[in-house]
Amino acid sequence: MQKHLINDNGTYKTYLNGAWQTVTTSSPSKDNFVTKGMDDLSVLNRTVKTIDQPMTDNGILGSGKVFKSTLDLKKYFDITGIIIK
């Protein structure tokens, strides 16, 4: 059985219970792979998701209106694009 850890800018992580968890910030040991590694890399196969983000009216700017919203980047780890409509 193969085990895998993902290197994210020097931090080794595993994907467990629907969230990324840090395993180590140094070179992983054999024990890290055996106990914390990933058996199934198919969880990394991602599909495009569209999420409606509620926005609040934040006043007027020139002849238009300004809206704002806060986006939790820890929740949406792999954002590659944002479209505002």
Side-chain angles (χ1 to χ4, degrees):
M1 170 178 5
Q2 284 188 323
K3 294 276 191 164
H4 307 273
L5 295 176
I6 305 300
N7 183 341
D8 179 26
N9 293 323
T11 300
Y12 291 87
K13 297 180 178 184
T14 189
Y15 195 75
L16 183 64
N17 299 324
W20 286 101
Q21 298 183 7
T22 298
V23 174
T24 183
T25 56
S26 61
S27 294
S29 66
K30 179 180 177 182
D31 185 56
N32 291 139
F33 280 97
V34 171
T35 61
K36 302 287 185 175
M38 299 168 61
D39 292 321
D40 181 12
L41 294 182
S42 70
V43 298
L44 301 178
N45 293 336
R46 299 181 190 123
T47 58
V48 174
K49 282 186 184 176
T50 300
I51 300 168
D52 290 327
Q53 180 76 17
M55 300 185 82
T56 57
D57 188 343
N58 199 34
I60 297 174
L61 178 64
S63 61
K65 294 191 99 184
V66 177
F67 293 89
K68 71 176 183 176
S69 184
T70 301
L71 189 61
D72 182 359
L73 295 177
K74 290 182 181 179
K75 182 177 178 183
Y76 304 108
F77 179 73
D78 55 351
I79 292 175
T80 58
I82 298 175
I83 298 172
I84 309 288
K85 292 183 182 183

